[in-house]
Coordinates of all heavy atoms in Angstrom, one line a residue:
M1 N 6.7 -13.9 -0.2 CA 5.6 -14.0 0.7 C 6.0 -14.0 2.1 O 5.3 -13.4 3.0 CB 4.8 -15.3 0.4 CG 4.2 -15.3 -1.0 SD 2.7 -14.3 -1.1 CE 1.5 -15.5 -1.6
A2 N 7.1 -14.6 2.5 CA 7.6 -14.6 3.9 C 7.9 -13.2 4.4 O 7.7 -12.9 5.6 CB 8.8 -15.5 4.0
D3 N 8.3 -12.3 3.5 CA 8.6 -10.9 3.8 C 7.3 -10.2 4.2 O 7.4 -9.1 4.9 CB 9.1 -10.2 2.6 CG 10.6 -10.6 2.3 OD1 11.2 -11.3 3.2 OD2 11.1 -10.3 1.2
L4 N 6.1 -10.7 4.0 CA 4.9 -10.0 4.3 C 4.4 -10.5 5.6 O 3.4 -9.9 6.2 CB 3.8 -10.3 3.3 CG 4.2 -9.8 1.8 CD1 3.2 -10.3 0.9 CD2 4.3 -8.4 1.9
A5 N 5.0 -11.5 6.3 CA 4.4 -12.1 7.5 C 4.4 -11.1 8.7 O 3.4 -11.1 9.4 CB 5.1 -13.4 7.8
A6 N 5.5 -10.4 8.9 CA 5.5 -9.6 10.2 C 4.5 -8.5 10.2 O 3.9 -8.4 11.2 CB 6.9 -9.0 10.3
T7 N 4.4 -7.7 9.2 CA 3.4 -6.6 9.2 C 2.2 -6.7 8.3 O 1.4 -5.8 8.3 CB 4.2 -5.2 9.0 OG1 4.7 -5.3 7.6 CG2 5.4 -5.0 9.9
G8 N 2.3 -7.7 7.4 CA 1.3 -7.8 6.4 C 1.6 -6.9 5.1 O 0.8 -6.9 4.2
A9 N 2.8 -6.3 5.1 CA 3.1 -5.4 4.1 C 4.6 -5.3 3.8 O 5.4 -5.6 4.8 CB 2.5 -4.0 4.4
K10 N 5.1 -4.8 2.7 CA 6.4 -4.6 2.4 C 6.5 -3.6 1.4 O 5.9 -3.5 0.3 CB 6.9 -5.9 1.7 CG 8.3 -5.9 1.3 CD 9.3 -6.0 2.5 CE 10.7 -6.0 2.0 NZ 11.6 -5.7 3.1
D11 N 7.3 -2.5 1.7 CA 7.5 -1.4 0.7 C 8.7 -1.8 -0.2 O 9.7 -2.4 0.2 CB 7.7 0.0 1.4 CG 8.6 0.0 2.6 OD1 9.1 -1.1 3.0 OD2 8.8 1.0 3.1
I12 N 8.6 -1.4 -1.4 CA 9.5 -1.8 -2.5 C 9.9 -0.5 -3.3 O 9.0 0.2 -3.8 CB 8.9 -2.9 -3.3 CG1 8.5 -4.1 -2.6 CG2 9.9 -3.2 -4.5 CD1 7.7 -5.1 -3.3
A13 N 11.1 -0.2 -3.5 CA 11.6 0.8 -4.3 C 11.8 0.3 -5.8 O 12.4 -0.7 -6.0 CB 13.0 1.3 -3.8
L14 N 11.2 1.1 -6.8 CA 11.2 0.8 -8.2 C 11.8 1.9 -8.9 O 11.9 3.0 -8.4 CB 9.9 0.3 -8.7 CG 9.2 -0.9 -8.1 CD1 7.9 -1.0 -8.7 CD2 10.0 -2.2 -8.4
F15 N 12.0 1.7 -10.2 CA 12.5 2.8 -11.0 C 11.5 2.8 -12.3 O 11.2 1.7 -12.8 CB 13.9 2.8 -11.5 CG 14.8 3.1 -10.4 CD1 15.2 2.1 -9.5 CD2 15.3 4.4 -10.3 CE1 16.2 2.4 -8.5 CE2 16.1 4.7 -9.3 CZ 16.6 3.7 -8.3
K16 N 11.1 3.9 -12.7 CA 10.3 4.0 -13.9 C 10.9 5.2 -14.7 O 10.9 6.3 -14.2 CB 8.8 4.2 -13.6 CG 7.9 4.3 -14.8 CD 6.4 4.5 -14.5 CE 5.6 4.5 -15.7 NZ 4.2 4.6 -15.4
D17 N 11.3 5.0 -15.9 CA 11.8 6.0 -16.8 C 13.0 6.8 -16.0 O 13.1 7.9 -16.1 CB 10.8 7.0 -17.2 CG 9.6 6.4 -18.0 OD1 9.9 5.5 -18.7 OD2 8.5 6.9 -17.9
G18 N 13.8 5.9 -15.3 CA 15.0 6.4 -14.6 C 14.6 7.1 -13.3 O 15.5 7.6 -12.6
A19 N 13.3 7.3 -13.0 CA 13.1 8.0 -11.7 C 12.5 7.0 -10.7 O 11.8 6.1 -11.1 CB 11.8 9.0 -12.0
P20 N 12.9 7.2 -9.4 CA 12.5 6.2 -8.4 C 11.1 6.5 -8.0 O 10.6 7.7 -7.9 CB 13.5 6.5 -7.2 CG 13.9 8.0 -7.4 CD 13.9 8.2 -8.9
Y21 N 10.4 5.5 -7.7 CA 9.1 5.6 -7.0 C 8.9 4.3 -6.2 O 9.6 3.3 -6.3 CB 8.0 5.9 -8.0 CG 7.6 4.7 -8.9 CD1 6.5 4.0 -8.6 CD2 8.3 4.5 -10.0 CE1 6.0 2.8 -9.3 CE2 7.9 3.4 -10.8 CZ 6.8 2.6 -10.5 OH 6.5 1.5 -11.3
S22 N 8.0 4.4 -5.3 CA 7.7 3.4 -4.3 C 6.4 2.8 -4.4 O 5.4 3.5 -4.6 CB 8.0 4.0 -2.9 OG 7.7 3.1 -1.9
I23 N 6.3 1.5 -4.2 CA 5.1 0.8 -4.1 C 5.1 0.0 -2.8 O 6.2 -0.1 -2.2 CB 4.7 -0.2 -5.3 CG1 5.8 -1.3 -5.3 CG2 4.9 0.6 -6.6 CD1 5.4 -2.5 -6.3
F24 N 4.0 -0.6 -2.4 CA 3.9 -1.5 -1.3 C 3.0 -2.7 -1.6 O 2.0 -2.5 -2.3 CB 3.7 -0.8 0.0 CG 2.2 -0.3 0.1 CD1 1.2 -0.9 0.8 CD2 2.0 1.0 -0.4 CE1 -0.1 -0.4 0.9 CE2 0.8 1.6 -0.3 CZ -0.3 0.9 0.4
V25 N 3.4 -3.9 -1.2 CA 2.6 -5.1 -1.4 C 2.1 -5.4 0.0 O 2.7 -5.4 1.0 CB 3.5 -6.2 -1.9 CG1 2.8 -7.5 -2.0 CG2 4.1 -5.8 -3.3
I26 N 0.8 -5.8 -0.1 CA 0.1 -6.3 1.2 C -0.4 -7.7 0.9 O -0.7 -8.1 -0.2 CB -1.0 -5.4 1.6 CG1 -2.2 -5.2 0.6 CG2 -0.4 -4.0 1.9 CD1 -3.3 -4.5 1.0
R27 N -0.6 -8.4 2.1 CA -1.3 -9.7 2.0 C -2.1 -9.7 3.2 O -1.7 -9.5 4.4 CB -0.2 -10.8 2.1 CG -0.9 -12.2 2.0 CD 0.0 -13.3 1.8 NE 0.7 -13.6 3.1 CZ 1.4 -14.6 3.4 NH1 1.7 -15.5 2.4 NH2 2.0 -14.7 4.6
D28 N -3.4 -10.1 3.0 CA -4.4 -10.3 4.1 C -5.3 -11.5 3.6 O -5.0 -12.2 2.6 CB -5.1 -9.0 4.4 CG -5.9 -8.5 3.3 OD1 -6.1 -9.1 2.2 OD2 -6.3 -7.3 3.4
A29 N -6.4 -11.6 4.3 CA -7.4 -12.7 4.1 C -7.9 -12.6 2.6 O -8.3 -13.7 2.1 CB -8.5 -12.7 5.1
A30 N -7.9 -11.4 2.0 CA -8.3 -11.2 0.7 C -7.4 -11.5 -0.4 O -7.7 -11.5 -1.6 CB -9.0 -9.8 0.6
G31 N -6.1 -11.8 -0.1 CA -5.1 -12.1 -1.0 C -4.0 -11.1 -1.1 O -3.7 -10.4 0.0
V32 N -3.3 -11.0 -2.2 CA -2.1 -10.1 -2.2 C -2.4 -9.1 -3.2 O -3.0 -9.3 -4.3 CB -0.9 -11.0 -2.8 CG1 0.3 -10.1 -3.0 CG2 -0.6 -12.1 -1.8
R33 N -2.0 -7.8 -2.9 CA -2.3 -6.6 -3.8 C -1.1 -5.6 -3.6 O -0.3 -5.8 -2.7 CB -3.6 -5.9 -3.3 CG -4.8 -6.8 -3.6 CD -6.1 -6.2 -2.9 NE -6.0 -6.1 -1.5 CZ -5.9 -7.1 -0.6 NH1 -6.0 -8.3 -1.0 NH2 -5.8 -6.8 0.7
A34 N -1.0 -4.8 -4.6 CA 0.1 -3.8 -4.6 C -0.5 -2.3 -4.9 O -1.4 -2.3 -5.7 CB 1.1 -4.1 -5.6
F35 N 0.0 -1.4 -4.2 CA -0.4 0.0 -4.4 C 0.8 0.9 -4.5 O 1.9 0.7 -3.9 CB -1.3 0.5 -3.2 CG -2.5 -0.3 -3.0 CD1 -2.7 -1.2 -2.1 CD2 -3.7 0.1 -3.9 CE1 -3.9 -1.9 -1.9 CE2 -4.8 -0.7 -3.7 CZ -5.0 -1.7 -2.7
E36 N 0.7 2.0 -5.3 CA 1.7 3.0 -5.2 C 1.8 3.6 -3.9 O 0.7 3.9 -3.2 CB 1.4 4.1 -6.2 CG 2.5 5.2 -6.3 CD 2.2 6.3 -7.4 OE1 1.1 6.3 -7.8 OE2 3.1 7.0 -7.7
N37 N 3.0 3.8 -3.3 CA 3.1 4.4 -1.9 C 3.1 5.8 -2.1 O 4.1 6.6 -1.8 CB 4.5 3.8 -1.3 CG 4.6 4.3 0.2 OD1 3.5 4.7 0.7 ND2 5.7 4.0 0.8
S38 N 1.9 6.4 -2.4 CA 1.7 7.8 -2.6 C 0.4 8.2 -2.2 O -0.6 7.7 -2.9 CB 2.1 8.2 -4.0 OG 1.8 9.6 -4.2
C39 N 0.2 8.9 -1.1 CA -1.2 9.2 -0.6 C -1.8 10.1 -1.5 O -1.2 11.2 -1.9 CB -1.1 9.7 0.8 SG -2.7 10.2 1.5
P40 N -3.1 10.0 -1.9 CA -3.7 11.0 -2.8 C -3.9 12.4 -2.2 O -4.2 13.3 -2.8 CB -5.0 10.3 -3.2 CG -5.2 9.2 -2.2 CD -3.9 8.8 -1.7
H41 N -3.8 12.5 -0.9 CA -4.0 13.8 -0.2 C -2.8 14.7 -0.6 O -3.1 15.9 -1.1 CB -4.1 13.7 1.3 CG -4.1 14.9 2.0 ND1 -3.4 15.2 3.1 CD2 -4.8 16.0 1.7 CE1 -3.7 16.4 3.5 NE2 -4.5 17.0 2.6
A42 N -1.6 14.3 -0.2 CA -0.5 15.3 -0.5 C 0.7 14.6 -1.2 O 1.8 15.1 -1.2 CB 0.0 15.8 0.9
R43 N 0.4 13.4 -1.7 CA 1.5 12.7 -2.5 C 2.7 12.4 -1.7 O 3.8 12.4 -2.3 CB 1.7 13.4 -3.8 CG 0.6 13.4 -4.9 CD 0.3 12.0 -5.3 NE -1.1 12.0 -6.0 CZ -1.7 10.9 -6.1 NH1 -1.3 9.7 -5.6 NH2 -2.9 10.8 -6.7
L44 N 2.5 12.1 -0.5 CA 3.6 11.6 0.4 C 3.5 10.2 0.6 O 2.4 9.6 0.5 CB 3.4 12.3 1.9 CG 3.6 13.9 1.8 CD1 3.2 14.4 3.1 CD2 5.0 14.3 1.4
P45 N 4.6 9.6 1.0 CA 4.6 8.1 1.3 C 3.6 7.8 2.5 O 3.6 8.7 3.4 CB 6.0 7.8 1.7 CG 6.8 8.7 1.0 CD 5.9 9.9 1.0
L46 N 2.8 6.8 2.5 CA 1.9 6.6 3.5 C 2.6 6.2 4.9 O 2.1 6.6 5.9 CB 1.0 5.4 3.2 CG -0.3 5.7 2.3 CD1 0.2 5.9 0.9 CD2 -1.3 4.6 2.5
N47 N 3.8 5.5 4.8 CA 4.3 4.9 6.0 C 5.4 5.8 6.6 O 6.1 6.5 5.9 CB 4.8 3.5 5.7 CG 5.9 3.5 4.6 OD1 5.9 4.3 3.6 ND2 6.9 2.7 4.8
G48 N 5.6 5.7 7.9 CA 6.6 6.4 8.6 C 7.7 5.4 9.1 O 8.7 5.9 9.5
A49 N 7.5 4.1 8.9 CA 8.4 3.1 9.4 C 8.4 2.0 8.3 O 7.3 1.8 7.7 CB 8.1 2.5 10.7
A50 N 9.5 1.3 8.1 CA 9.5 0.3 7.1 C 8.4 -0.7 7.2 O 8.3 -1.3 8.4 CB 10.9 -0.4 7.1
D51 N 7.7 -0.9 6.1 CA 6.7 -2.1 6.1 C 5.5 -1.8 7.0 O 4.7 -2.8 7.1 CB 7.3 -3.4 6.3 CG 8.5 -3.7 5.4 OD1 8.6 -3.1 4.3 OD2 9.4 -4.4 5.9
V52 N 5.3 -0.7 7.5 CA 4.2 -0.4 8.4 C 3.1 0.3 7.6 O 3.3 1.6 7.4 CB 4.5 0.3 9.8 CG1 3.3 0.6 10.5 CG2 5.5 -0.6 10.4
F53 N 2.0 -0.3 7.2 CA 0.9 0.3 6.5 C -0.4 0.0 7.1 O -1.3 0.8 7.0 CB 0.9 -0.2 5.0 CG 2.1 0.3 4.2 CD1 3.3 -0.5 4.2 CD2 2.1 1.4 3.5 CE1 4.4 -0.1 3.5 CE2 3.2 1.8 2.8 CZ 4.4 1.1 2.7
F54 N -0.5 -1.0 7.7 CA -1.8 -1.4 8.3 C -2.0 -0.8 9.8 O -1.0 -0.5 10.4 CB -1.9 -2.9 8.5 CG -2.3 -3.7 7.3 CD1 -1.4 -4.4 6.6 CD2 -3.7 -3.7 6.9 CE1 -1.8 -5.1 5.5 CE2 -4.0 -4.4 5.8 CZ -3.1 -5.2 5.1
D55 N -3.3 -0.7 10.2 CA -3.5 -0.3 11.6 C -3.3 -1.6 12.4 O -2.9 -2.6 11.9 CB -4.9 0.2 11.7 CG -6.0 -1.0 11.5 OD1 -5.8 -1.9 10.7 OD2 -7.1 -0.9 12.1
V56 N -3.3 -1.4 13.7 CA -2.9 -2.5 14.6 C -3.8 -3.7 14.4 O -3.3 -4.9 14.7 CB -3.0 -2.1 16.1 CG1 -1.9 -1.1 16.3 CG2 -4.4 -1.6 16.6
R57 N -5.0 -3.6 13.9 CA -5.9 -4.8 13.7 C -5.8 -5.3 12.3 O -6.5 -6.3 12.0 CB -7.4 -4.4 14.1 CG -7.5 -4.4 15.6 CD -9.0 -4.2 16.0 NE -9.2 -2.7 16.0 CZ -10.3 -2.1 15.9 NH1 -11.5 -2.7 15.8 NH2 -10.4 -0.8 16.0
R58 N -5.1 -4.7 11.5 CA -4.9 -5.0 10.1 C -6.2 -5.0 9.3 O -6.5 -5.9 8.5 CB -4.2 -6.3 9.9 CG -2.7 -6.4 10.3 CD -2.0 -7.6 9.9 NE -0.7 -7.7 10.4 CZ 0.2 -8.6 10.1 NH1 0.0 -9.5 9.2 NH2 1.3 -8.6 10.7
T59 N -7.0 -4.0 9.6 CA -8.3 -3.9 8.9 C -8.3 -2.7 7.9 O -9.0 -2.8 6.9 CB -9.5 -3.7 9.9 OG1 -9.1 -2.5 10.7 CG2 -9.6 -4.8 10.8
V60 N -7.5 -1.7 8.0 CA -7.4 -0.6 7.2 C -5.9 -0.3 7.0 O -5.1 -0.5 7.8 CB -8.1 0.6 7.6 CG1 -9.6 0.4 7.6 CG2 -7.7 1.1 9.0
L61 N -5.6 0.4 5.9 CA -4.2 1.0 5.7 C -4.4 2.4 6.2 O -5.3 3.1 6.0 CB -3.9 0.9 4.1 CG -3.9 -0.5 3.4 CD1 -3.8 -0.3 2.0 CD2 -2.8 -1.3 4.1
V62 N -3.3 2.8 6.7 CA -3.3 4.2 7.4 C -2.1 5.0 6.9 O -1.0 4.5 6.8 CB -3.1 4.1 8.9 CG1 -3.2 5.5 9.6 CG2 -4.3 3.2 9.5
C63 N -2.4 6.2 6.5 CA -1.4 7.3 6.1 C -0.9 7.9 7.4 O -1.7 8.6 8.1 CB -2.0 8.2 5.1 SG -0.7 9.4 4.6
V64 N 0.4 7.8 7.6 CA 0.9 8.4 8.8 C 0.9 9.9 8.9 O 1.0 10.4 9.9 CB 2.3 7.8 9.1 CG1 3.3 8.4 8.1 CG2 2.8 8.0 10.5
N65 N 0.8 10.5 7.7 CA 0.9 12.0 7.6 C -0.2 12.7 8.2 O -0.1 13.6 9.1 CB 1.1 12.4 6.2 CG 2.4 11.7 5.7 OD1 3.5 12.1 6.1 ND2 2.2 10.9 4.7
H66 N -1.4 12.4 7.8 CA -2.6 13.1 8.3 C -3.8 12.1 8.7 O -4.9 12.5 8.8 CB -3.1 14.1 7.3 CG -2.0 15.0 6.9 ND1 -1.5 14.9 5.6 CD2 -1.4 16.0 7.5 CE1 -0.6 15.9 5.5 NE2 -0.4 16.5 6.6
G67 N -3.4 10.8 8.8 CA -4.3 9.9 9.3 C -5.4 9.3 8.4 O -6.4 8.7 8.9
A68 N -5.3 9.5 7.1 CA -6.3 8.9 6.2 C -6.3 7.4 6.3 O -5.3 6.8 6.6 CB -6.0 9.3 4.8
H69 N -7.5 6.8 6.2 CA -7.7 5.4 6.3 C -8.2 4.9 4.8 O -8.9 5.6 4.2 CB -8.8 5.0 7.2 CG -8.3 5.1 8.6 ND1 -9.0 4.6 9.7 CD2 -7.3 5.7 9.2 CE1 -8.5 4.9 10.9 NE2 -7.4 5.6 10.6
F70 N -7.5 3.7 4.4 CA -7.8 3.2 3.1 C -8.3 1.8 3.2 O -7.7 1.0 4.0 CB -6.5 3.3 2.2 CG -6.1 4.6 2.0 CD1 -5.1 5.3 2.8 CD2 -6.5 5.4 0.9 CE1 -4.7 6.5 2.6 CE2 -6.0 6.6 0.6 CZ -5.1 7.2 1.5
D71 N -9.2 1.4 2.3 CA -9.7 0.0 2.2 C -8.5 -0.8 1.6 O -8.1 -0.4 0.5 CB -10.9 0.0 1.3 CG -11.5 -1.4 1.2 OD1 -10.8 -2.4 1.0 OD2 -12.7 -1.6 1.3
P72 N -8.1 -1.9 2.3 CA -6.9 -2.6 1.8 C -7.3 -3.5 0.5 O -6.4 -4.0 -0.1 CB -6.5 -3.5 3.0 CG -7.8 -3.6 3.8 CD -8.5 -2.3 3.6
V73 N -8.6 -3.6 0.2 CA -8.9 -4.3 -1.0 C -9.0 -3.4 -2.3 O -8.5 -3.7 -3.3 CB -10.3 -5.1 -0.8 CG1 -10.7 -5.8 -2.1 CG2 -10.1 -6.1 0.4
T74 N -9.7 -2.3 -2.0 CA -9.9 -1.5 -3.2 C -8.9 -0.3 -3.2 O -8.8 0.4 -4.2 CB -11.3 -0.8 -3.2 OG1 -11.4 0.0 -2.0 CG2 -12.4 -2.0 -3.1
G75 N -8.3 0.1 -2.1 CA -7.5 1.3 -2.0 C -8.3 2.6 -1.9 O -7.7 3.6 -1.9
A76 N -9.6 2.5 -1.7 CA -10.4 3.6 -1.5 C -10.1 4.3 -0.2 O -10.0 3.6 0.8 CB -11.9 3.4 -1.7
C77 N -10.1 5.6 -0.2 CA -9.9 6.4 1.1 C -11.3 6.4 1.7 O -12.2 6.9 1.2 CB -9.4 7.8 0.8 SG -9.2 8.7 2.3
L78 N -11.4 5.8 2.9 CA -12.6 5.7 3.7 C -12.8 6.9 4.7 O -13.9 7.2 5.0 CB -12.6 4.4 4.5 CG -12.4 3.1 3.7 CD1 -12.1 2.0 4.5 CD2 -13.5 2.9 2.7
R79 N -11.7 7.5 5.1 CA -11.8 8.5 6.1 C -10.5 9.4 6.0 O -9.4 8.9 5.7 CB -11.7 7.9 7.5 CG -12.0 8.7 8.7 CD -12.1 8.0 9.9 NE -10.9 8.2 10.8 CZ -10.7 7.5 11.9 NH1 -11.5 6.6 12.3 NH2 -9.6 7.7 12.5
G80 N -10.7 10.6 6.2 CA -9.5 11.5 6.2 C -9.6 12.6 5.1 O -10.6 12.6 4.4
P81 N -8.6 13.4 4.9 CA -8.6 14.5 4.0 C -8.8 14.1 2.5 O -9.0 15.0 1.7 CB -7.3 15.2 4.2 CG -6.5 14.2 4.8 CD -7.3 13.2 5.6
C82 N -8.5 12.8 2.1 CA -8.7 12.5 0.7 C -9.8 11.5 0.6 O -9.9 10.7 -0.4 CB -7.4 11.7 0.3 SG -6.8 10.5 1.3
K83 N -10.9 11.5 1.4 CA -12.0 10.7 1.4 C -12.6 10.7 -0.1 O -12.8 11.9 -0.6 CB -13.0 11.1 2.4 CG -14.2 10.0 2.5 CD -15.1 10.3 3.7 CE -16.3 9.3 3.6 NZ -17.2 9.6 4.7
G84 N -12.9 9.6 -0.7 CA -13.5 9.5 -2.0 C -12.4 9.3 -3.1 O -12.8 8.9 -4.2
E85 N -11.2 9.6 -2.7 CA -10.1 9.2 -3.7 C -9.6 7.9 -3.4 O -10.1 7.2 -2.5 CB -9.0 10.3 -3.6 CG -9.5 11.7 -3.9 CD -8.4 12.7 -3.9 OE1 -7.4 12.6 -4.7 OE2 -8.4 13.6 -3.0
R86 N -8.6 7.4 -4.2 CA -8.0 6.0 -3.9 C -6.6 5.9 -4.2 O -6.1 6.7 -5.0 CB -8.8 4.9 -4.6 CG -8.8 5.0 -6.1 CD -9.6 3.9 -6.8 NE -11.0 4.0 -6.4 CZ -11.7 2.9 -5.8 NH1 -11.1 1.8 -5.7 NH2 -13.0 3.1 -5.4
L87 N -5.9 5.0 -3.6 CA -4.6 4.6 -4.0 C -4.5 4.0 -5.4 O -5.5 3.3 -5.8 CB -4.0 3.6 -3.0 CG -4.0 4.0 -1.5 CD1 -3.6 2.8 -0.6 CD2 -3.0 5.2 -1.3
R88 N -3.4 4.2 -6.1 CA -3.2 3.6 -7.4 C -2.8 2.2 -7.2 O -1.8 1.9 -6.5 CB -2.2 4.4 -8.2 CG -1.9 3.8 -9.5 CD -0.9 4.7 -10.3 NE -0.5 4.0 -11.5 CZ 0.6 4.1 -12.1 NH1 1.5 4.8 -11.7 NH2 0.8 3.5 -13.3
A89 N -3.6 1.3 -7.8 CA -3.3 -0.1 -7.6 C -2.5 -0.6 -8.7 O -2.5 -0.1 -9.9 CB -4.6 -0.9 -7.5
F90 N -1.7 -1.6 -8.5 CA -0.9 -2.4 -9.5 C -1.3 -3.7 -9.5 O -1.5 -4.4 -8.5 CB 0.6 -2.3 -9.1 CG 1.2 -1.0 -9.3 CD1 1.1 0.0 -8.3 CD2 1.9 -0.6 -10.5 CE1 1.7 1.2 -8.5 CE2 2.5 0.6 -10.7 CZ 2.3 1.6 -9.7
P91 N -1.3 -4.4 -10.7 CA -1.7 -5.8 -10.8 C -0.5 -6.6 -10.2 O 0.6 -6.2 -10.5 CB -1.9 -6.0 -12.3 CG -1.1 -4.9 -13.0 CD -1.1 -3.8 -12.0
V92 N -0.9 -7.7 -9.6 CA 0.1 -8.6 -9.0 C -0.3 -10.0 -9.3 O -1.5 -10.2 -9.4 CB 0.4 -8.4 -7.5 CG1 1.0 -7.0 -7.3 CG2 -0.8 -8.6 -6.7
S93 N 0.6 -11.0 -9.3 CA 0.3 -12.3 -9.3 C 1.3 -13.0 -8.4 O 2.3 -12.4 -8.0 CB 0.3 -12.9 -10.7 OG 1.6 -12.8 -11.3
T94 N 1.0 -14.2 -8.0 CA 1.9 -15.0 -7.1 C 2.3 -16.3 -7.8 O 1.6 -16.8 -8.6 CB 1.2 -15.3 -5.8 OG1 0.0 -16.0 -6.0 CG2 0.9 -14.1 -5.0
D95 N 3.6 -16.7 -7.5 CA 4.1 -17.9 -8.0 C 4.8 -18.5 -6.8 O 6.0 -18.2 -6.6 CB 5.0 -17.6 -9.1 CG 5.6 -19.0 -9.7 OD1 5.2 -20.0 -9.3 OD2 6.6 -18.8 -10.5
G96 N 4.2 -19.4 -6.1 CA 4.7 -20.0 -4.9 C 5.0 -19.0 -3.8 O 4.0 -18.3 -3.5
E97 N 6.2 -18.7 -3.4 CA 6.5 -17.8 -2.4 C 6.8 -16.4 -3.0 O 7.2 -15.4 -2.3 CB 7.7 -18.2 -1.6 CG 7.4 -19.3 -0.6 CD 6.4 -18.7 0.5 OE1 6.8 -17.7 1.1 OE2 5.4 -19.3 0.7
S98 N 6.8 -16.2 -4.3 CA 7.2 -15.0 -5.0 C 6.0 -14.2 -5.4 O 4.9 -14.8 -5.8 CB 7.9 -15.2 -6.3 OG 9.2 -16.0 -6.0
V99 N 6.0 -12.9 -5.2 CA 5.0 -11.9 -5.7 C 5.5 -11.3 -7.0 O 6.6 -10.7 -6.9 CB 4.7 -10.9 -4.6 CG1 3.6 -9.9 -5.2 CG2 4.2 -11.5 -3.4
L100 N 4.8 -11.5 -8.0 CA 5.2 -10.9 -9.4 C 4.5 -9.7 -9.7 O 3.2 -9.6 -9.6 CB 4.9 -11.9 -10.4 CG 5.5 -13.4 -10.1 CD1 5.1 -14.3 -11.3 CD2 7.0 -13.3 -10.0
I101 N 5.2 -8.6 -10.1 CA 4.6 -7.3 -10.4 C 5.1 -7.0 -11.9 O 6.2 -6.9 -12.1 CB 5.1 -6.2 -9.5 CG1 4.7 -6.6 -8.0 CG2 4.5 -4.8 -9.9 CD1 5.3 -5.7 -7.0
P102 N 4.1 -7.1 -12.9 CA 4.6 -7.0 -14.3 C 5.1 -5.6 -14.6 O 4.9 -4.6 -13.9 CB 3.3 -7.2 -15.1 CG 2.1 -7.0 -14.1 CD 2.7 -7.3 -12.7
Ligands
LIG1 S1 -0.6 12.8 3.0 FE1 -1.9 11.1 3.5 S2 -3.5 11.9 4.7 FE2 -2.3 13.6 4.2

C-alpha cells in the first residue's frame, strides 16, 4: 500500500503462460483496484512513466498515447478513441499493507 502513496498507482509486471504482461494497481477514495495495463484503443500500455496513470487531480486514469480517459472505479473509457470500451479489471483484496492479486 505504501507503494501507492506517491502517484496513487503502481505498475506491476507478471507472467501468464510464460508470456509477460503488465497490470497496474490503483488506490483512491473508492478503494484498491487492478487493471490490465493495456488500452482498449491500440493495446498499448497506458502510462509513459513509471506508476503514472492518474490525471493531476487523480479523478480519471489517462492513456498517454492518445489521451483516452477512464473511470478509475469501473475502468470504462469516458473520453477518447475507445469511448464505450473498458479496461480489463482484476480482482484484488488487501491484507494490511499488502495488495493480493489471485
Ligand atoms: S492507445 Fe490508449 S488512447 Fe490510443
Side-chain angles (χ1 to χ4, degrees):
M1 297 283 239
D3 290 344
L4 300 172
T7 63
K10 178 79 179 164
D11 45 358
I12 301 170
L14 298 175
F15 287 88
K16 182 177 182 181
D17 300 327
Y21 72 100
S22 175
I23 68 167
F24 62 100
V25 176
I26 62 171
R27 183 174 72 172
D28 60 13
V32 177
R33 293 165 308 285
F35 298 101
E36 184 178 14
N37 189 7
S38 179
C39 179
H41 174 224
R43 292 295 166 202
L44 297 170
L46 276 75
N47 59 323
D51 304 334
V52 177
F53 293 88
F54 277 104
D55 68 331
V56 293
R57 286 183 269 163
R58 292 194 189 186
T59 56
V60 294
L61 303 168
V62 179
C63 178
V64 70
N65 298 294
H66 308 106
H69 287 191
F70 297 90
D71 184 313
V73 175
T74 66
C77 182
L78 305 170
R79 185 173 110 187
C82 51
K83 187 173 179 180
E85 298 183 65
R86 66 182 56 235
L87 299 171
R88 180 178 175 210
F90 288 84
V92 295
S93 60
T94 58
D95 182 10
E97 281 295 305
S98 299
V99 177
L100 308 173
I101 302 165

